[in-house]
């Protein structure tokens, strides 16, 4: 291999670029590396403005930097040229509305039957994919306006990062559709005046297209942007990283290399862990042989605060080769009381497993499903993953997909395919809804109002991230209502997107209420009574799903955390949010428990802490699931 072909052969060569995106599986240390990276840049370039931003709804910058971080940005006390900022999607939407809202309302009015005042309530509704849309728009604004000389972005976990990066294609289609709305206006104006003078809307469209194109160019320019993937030497991280790198290449995002975190030294006391680590490091090296892989050493204490982050960054080294390690002797831990109660005997039908990315949610979900399926062979149990970066198949060591796959005769697994869910939703509702909003009608004698139905079909053909998870919840409730499953266990997305998922029933109900209000106003022109009937049925399902989520006799939320302070802090915020939503949470799983690091039970006074000890590594995935099941019940 010709090492000179590597663009980032040493960590110092990252100094030649201006934008670093850091992502990967949840819980691998993305935020820690992002903070350390930004601090190093601030020291290397004291005359430049460095900006560190987080696009993850579950922001952790403050936990790692050990200083308050807001959505407006603030300079660090010891590095005044470094500002840290946690993006707030709702604040960004308000700013976007103030700047562009009038233009967009005029455009939609020109491309549909609605009046401008009909659109005003839309700005106050919860939007699916709002975090991804506003995050990408803000990154592109920062790049095009040159607000900072260098930017480090702490991205959401890999599945939602891919959603964000793919939004650029969605925005292109939306702009093209808005252009069709304006083309209709131009044609009408020309037919009356025999001429057309460009107006402020034309200028808006030109500027938006130019900004998006410039942002796209910078995001895809390998001399300006580096997207680095953070991982740890564990099987599920390796599998997700491999899929993530392949997806980055499909999106034409410049993948610059890997940072493998928490590398144990050769004298690691746990030979089982060291043996697995060395095998996986060799696989990571083979993943991208023309990219440099960097090792970040494991610290016994958490690297938080400026001094620790600077010390950590100084210890990052490239990995050229990997020494082999002997196979380890497998030793299973003993159960640590207390254990779970019997969810089926208690009448639970839906269990949500949630927490920060990388804490072991999928393993816990798989173990609960396995234990209860063996205890109740006459009950049908299904584990469903709604995280865009699915790991359920990895946990069981077998392929899984959108259609349920049998694991045991009464236990099945399913990884929701967002595109398939959305395609069905389009077929059931959205194509016809787009035709209605665009003014098309199948009713006899109805007036055809729109010149540009193609534009609305283009918009509907796109997918806002988040709506698929909502549809998954409705499908889950249907399975239970129709008695096709006795218990469903949902393996959810990491914290920030889990909260968005739980808010989605209310958001979708509000959107449907807005559509009904529009239809009532224009029903004499629109017709489509049958469509409205189906949408009312959908809203009833949404409201029922919302009620089921907060019914403690029906739904149980089980949090998963680990002993590190940053992880516990994030789970505390999650627990408070769930309490506000009225979601029942009786249990908290302390994964990778050891008697050297107890979680302070006073932090979670209303929850029973279930301790899941560190599991052996040198075993098959299904053996880990079986072992975890025995330890939890």
């Amino acid at each position: 291999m010709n090492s000179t072909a590597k663009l980032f052969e040493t960590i110092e060569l990252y100094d030649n670029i201006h934008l670093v995106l850091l992502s990967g599986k949840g819980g691998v240390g993305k935020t820690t590396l992002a903070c350390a990276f930004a601090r190093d840049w601030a020291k290397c370039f004291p005359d430049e403005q460095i900006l560190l931003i987080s696009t993850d709804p579950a922001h952790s910058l403050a936990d790692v930097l050990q200083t308050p971080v807001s959505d407006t940005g603030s300079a660090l006390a010891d590095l005044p040229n470094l500002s840290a900022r946690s993006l707030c999607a709702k604040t960004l939407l308000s700013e976007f509305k103030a700047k562009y809202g009038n233009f967009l309302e005029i455009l939609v009015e020109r491309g549909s039957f609605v009046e401008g005042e009909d659109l005003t309530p839309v700005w106050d509704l919860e939007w699916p994919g709002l975090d991804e849309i506003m995050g990408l728009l803000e990154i592109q604004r920062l790049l095009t306006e040159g607000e900072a000389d260098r930017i480090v972005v702490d991205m959401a976990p890999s599945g939602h990062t891919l959603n964000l990066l793919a939004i650029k294609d969605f925005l292109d289609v939306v702009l093209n559709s808005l252009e069709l709305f304006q083309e209709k206006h131009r044609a009408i104006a020309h037919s009356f005046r025999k001429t057309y003078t460009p107006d402020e809307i034309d200028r808006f469209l030109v500027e938006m297209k130019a900004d998006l194109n410039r942002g796209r160019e910078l995001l895809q320019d390998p001399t300006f942007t580096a997207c680095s993937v953070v991982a740890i030497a564990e099987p599920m991280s390796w599998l997700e990283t491999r899929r993530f790198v392949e997806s980055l290449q499909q999106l034409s995002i410049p993948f610059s290399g890997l940072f493998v975190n928490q590398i144990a030294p050769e004298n690691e006391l746990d030979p089982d862990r060291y043996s697995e680590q060395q095998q996986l490091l060799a696989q990571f090296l083979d993943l991208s042989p023309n990219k440099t892989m960097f090792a970040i050493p494991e610290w016994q204490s958490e690297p938080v605060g400026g001094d620790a982050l600077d010390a950590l960054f100084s210890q990052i080294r490239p990995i050229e080769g990997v020494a082999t390690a002997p196979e380890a002797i497998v030793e299973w831990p003993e159960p640590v009381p207390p254990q779970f109660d019997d969810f089926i005997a208690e009448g639970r039908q839906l269990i949500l497993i949630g927490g920060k990315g990388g804490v072991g949610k999928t393993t816990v979900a798989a173990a609960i499903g396995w234990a209860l399926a063996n205890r109740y062979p006459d009950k049908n149990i299904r584990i469903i993953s709604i995280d865009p970066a699915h790991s359920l198949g990895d946990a069981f060591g077998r392929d899984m997909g959108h259609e349920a796959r049998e694991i045991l005769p009464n236990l099945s697994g399913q990884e929701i395919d967002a595109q398939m869910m959305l395609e069905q939703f389009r077929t059931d509702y959205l194509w016809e809804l787009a035709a209605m909003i665009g003014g098309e009608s199948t009713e006899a004698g109805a007036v055809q109002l729109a010149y540009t139905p193609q534009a609305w079909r283009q918009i509907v053909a796109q997918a806002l991230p988040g709506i698929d998870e909502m549809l998954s919840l409705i499908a889950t409730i249907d399975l239970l209502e129709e008695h096709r499953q006795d218990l469903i266990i949902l393996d959810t997305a990491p914290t920030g997107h889990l909260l968005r998922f739980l808010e989605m029933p209310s958001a979708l109900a509000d959107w449907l209420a807005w559509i009904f209000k529009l239809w009532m106003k224009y029903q004499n022109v629109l017709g489509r009574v049958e469509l409205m009937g189906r949408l009312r049925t959908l809203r009833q399902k949404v409201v029922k799903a919302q009620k089921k989520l907060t019914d403690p006799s029906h739904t149980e939320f089980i949090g998963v955390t680990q002993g590190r302070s940053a992880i516990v802090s994030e789970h505390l915020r999650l627990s408070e949010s769930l309490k506000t939503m009225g979601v029942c949470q009786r249990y908290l799983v302390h994964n990778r428990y050891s008697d050297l690091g107890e979680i302070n039970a006073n932090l979670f006074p209303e929850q029973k802490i279930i301790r899941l000890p560190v599991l052996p590594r040198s075993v098959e995935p299904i053996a880990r699931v079986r072992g975890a099941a025995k330890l939890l019940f």
Side-chain angles (χ1 to χ4, degrees), residues 105-106 108-109 112-125 437 511 513-515 517-522 526:
E105 289 177 13
I106 291 173
V108 175
E109 187 173 4
S112 69
F113 64 85
V114 302
E115 299 174 356
E117 63 184 27
D118 297 324
L119 300 171
T120 303
V122 170
W123 296 106
D124 297 323
L125 298 177
I437 293 175
W511 275 95
W514 175 70
I515 291 169
K517 185 176 180 180
L518 278 186
W519 182 79
M520 290 295 291
K521 182 176 180 179
Y522 298 103
L526 296 174

Side-chain angles (χ1 to χ4, degrees), residues 47-74:
D47 297 327
E48 294 186 5
Q49 290 300 311
I50 313 300
L51 179 61
L52 168 64
I53 62 175
S54 169
T55 66
D56 190 338
H59 303 297
S60 298
L61 292 182
D63 297 331
V64 175
L65 292 171
Q66 297 286 283
T67 188
V69 176
S70 69
D71 62 339
T72 57
S74 54

Side-chain angles (χ1 to χ4, degrees), residues 109-311:
E109 187 173 4
R110 289 175 176 178
S112 69
F113 64 85
V114 302
E115 299 174 356
E117 63 184 27
D118 297 324
L119 300 171
T120 303
V122 170
W123 296 106
D124 297 323
L125 298 177
E126 294 284 346
W127 294 23
L130 182 63
D131 295 292
E132 286 84 357
I133 294 172
M134 291 296 112
L136 183 64
L137 285 175
E138 183 64 5
I139 291 172
Q140 297 202 139
R141 184 192 70 79
L142 292 167
L143 293 176
T144 55
E145 295 184 7
E147 195 167 300
D149 298 295
R150 297 170 188 268
I151 302 173
V152 179
V153 186
D154 175 28
M155 307 287 282
S158 53
H160 288 92
T161 288
L162 293 175
N163 285 342
L164 182 147
L165 295 172
I167 284 289
K168 64 184 188 299
D169 298 323
F170 169 82
L171 294 174
D172 284 342
V173 171
V174 170
L175 269 181
N176 289 335
S177 300
L178 295 176
E179 181 68 36
L180 289 174
F181 296 163
Q182 183 67 357
E183 185 59 38
K184 166 196 165 184
H185 169 73
R186 296 184 193 117
I188 294 174
H190 192 274
S191 67
F192 282 106
R193 305 187 191 114
K194 307 305 180 186
T195 185
Y196 178 73
T197 303
D199 60 14
E200 62 180 355
I201 304 299
D202 292 286
R203 290 189 290 275
F204 160 73
L205 289 170
V206 169
E207 290 172 5
M208 283 293 289
K209 281 190 174 181
D211 287 347
L212 286 177
N213 287 337
R214 176 60 177 155
R216 179 195 295 271
E217 290 172 0
L218 292 174
L219 276 173
Q220 297 180 339
D221 181 356
T223 66
F224 186 92
T225 298
C227 183
S228 295
V229 181
V230 188
I232 54 177
E234 295 185 0
M236 291 174 73
S237 177
W238 146 250
L239 292 166
E240 186 167 321
T241 298
R242 183 179 63 183
R243 294 190 291 264
F244 185 42
V245 169
E246 292 171 354
S247 298
L248 286 175
Q249 294 168 348
Q250 293 169 6
L251 290 169
S252 300
I253 300 297
F255 165 58
S256 59
L258 284 167
F259 288 83
V260 185
N261 195 14
Q262 300 175 17
I263 296 298
E266 291 185 25
N267 60 352
E268 163 66 45
L269 296 177
D270 181 357
D272 184 23
R273 176 187 170 184
Y274 185 70
S275 175
E276 180 189 64
Q277 171 187 287
Q278 298 306 100
Q279 294 175 34
L280 287 168
L281 284 177
Q283 292 177 244
F284 275 118
L285 276 175
D286 291 340
L287 179 62
S288 296
N290 63 332
K291 306 290 184 184
T292 300
M293 184 171 78
F294 296 93
I296 306 174
E298 181 178 44
W299 280 37
Q300 292 303 312
S301 59
E302 293 182 62
V304 295
D307 292 342
L309 291 168
D310 295 343

